[in-house]
Amino acid sequence: MLTQFLGNLSCPVEVGQVFVIGARPIDDAERVNINFLSGKSDDAENIFHFSIRFHDDIIIRNSKVGGSWGPEEREDNLNELTAPNPVSPGEIFRLYILVGDDRFHVAINGHPYCTYGFRGPLADIRTIRIDKDIQQIVQVDHRQAYPAPFPAIQLEETFNTFSNDVPKQFLPGHVIIMTAIPFGNPRGGFIIRFNENGTKKQALHLNPRFDPHYVVVRNSHTDTLE
């Protein structure tokens, strides 16, 4: 069964931030697209188009600005030690994208892959779309990374983060169902946040905590924090 991700970012994209995306293509995948868009409409600008083409064994980078696609980058600006496509069908990959001063620095599975110069304003990036031959999406994370230097991607992270828009206004009688498998840390925990659109306000904050407490902390953050 195929899946996809389409969600708005919670804050503007700025230099020093990082995106971490984890996903698993289907076993016979032909293509996986990761797009950094100006919105959710079909005619949105595509500031950074990252397209994994399995049959051609290559990853294409491009942008659609002003309604027109630019020249494709295939073997341009690749790390000298990387393969043209280090992603395998049926296997989870992690894409790490660091926002530099004038370009994106991209790593795959902990290894530097390429750079891609900005072709449109960072401020225009408002939405991430991941689609085509995707079986599972395990992580979509956008956070501040600076001043950790590139390639900070060498760090092995032991947690996952997922975020997405509620598909429609949440009203009485509606239900949201979430499933997840916590890691095997008996003293760990995890957090589920329901943020108000475009702000850091948390209408609901759920924090299940394991040994020695075994409680679920509930709270809200409703101050006028923008």
Side-chain angles (χ1 to χ4, degrees):
M1 179 180 295
L2 298 180
T3 188
Q4 64 177 359
F5 177 92
L6 179 64
N8 288 336
L9 302 177
S10 61
C11 64
V13 178
E14 298 177 349
V15 173
Q17 293 178 348
V18 66
F19 294 89
V20 183
I21 295 171
R24 184 199 305 272
I26 60 176
D27 291 339
D28 57 347
E30 296 182 7
R31 179 183 301 189
V32 169
N33 287 342
I34 300 169
N35 299 291
F36 292 79
L37 307 168
S38 63
K40 294 183 176 180
S41 64
D42 292 338
D43 60 350
E45 302 280 84
N46 198 332
I47 307 303
F48 186 22
H49 171 71
F50 193 87
S51 182
I52 305 170
R53 311 286 179 90
F54 294 100
H55 285 186
D56 297 329
D57 197 28
I58 202 165
I59 298 177
I60 293 175
R61 289 86 65 200
N62 205 343
S63 299
K64 187 180 75 170
V65 179
S68 300
W69 287 99
E72 293 181 348
E73 293 189 13
R74 292 172 174 250
E75 299 181 0
D76 315 69
N77 303 311
L78 292 183
N79 183 276
E80 60 182 8
L81 299 179
T82 191
N85 177 19
V87 180
S88 299
E91 297 183 7
I92 290 178
F93 68 90
R94 271 192 168 76
L95 185 68
Y96 182 106
I97 302 175
L98 177 68
V99 184
D101 291 330
D102 60 355
R103 67 196 63 215
F104 297 105
H105 299 262
V106 182
I108 299 175
N109 295 334
H111 300 283
Y113 176 72
C114 74
T115 61
Y116 183 80
F118 300 152
R119 298 190 190 177
L122 292 178
D124 286 355
I125 300 176
R126 300 183 181 91
T127 303
I128 294 179
R129 184 176 67 214
I130 307 168
D131 59 13
K132 297 301 182 183
D133 299 326
I134 286 289
Q135 173 183 346
Q136 181 184 18
I137 296 173
V138 298
Q139 184 173 10
V140 179
D141 193 3
H142 171 212
R143 63 177 184 271
Q144 189 71 23
Y146 183 83
F150 184 85
I153 38 81
Q154 307 300 341
L155 297 176
E156 183 68 24
E157 295 183 336
T158 57
F159 60 88
N160 290 330
T161 302
F162 181 86
S163 63
N164 197 7
D165 288 349
V166 176
K168 60 183 179 181
Q169 185 179 6
F170 199 44
L171 298 173
H174 288 176
V175 175
I176 293 180
I177 299 175
M178 290 175 282
T179 60
I181 301 176
F183 287 108
N185 179 6
R187 294 185 176 273
F190 60 92
I191 298 174
I192 300 173
R193 301 183 181 94
F194 288 78
N195 290 86
E196 294 187 21
N197 186 35
T199 75
K200 295 181 180 179
K201 298 178 184 177
Q202 296 183 41
L204 177 61
H205 176 104
L206 290 174
N207 180 202
R209 300 176 183 178
F210 305 123
D211 182 53
H213 305 291
Y214 293 104
V215 296
V216 178
V217 176
R218 289 91 65 198
N219 209 335
S220 297
H221 188 179
T222 56
D223 293 340
T224 56
L225 179 62
E226 298 296 332

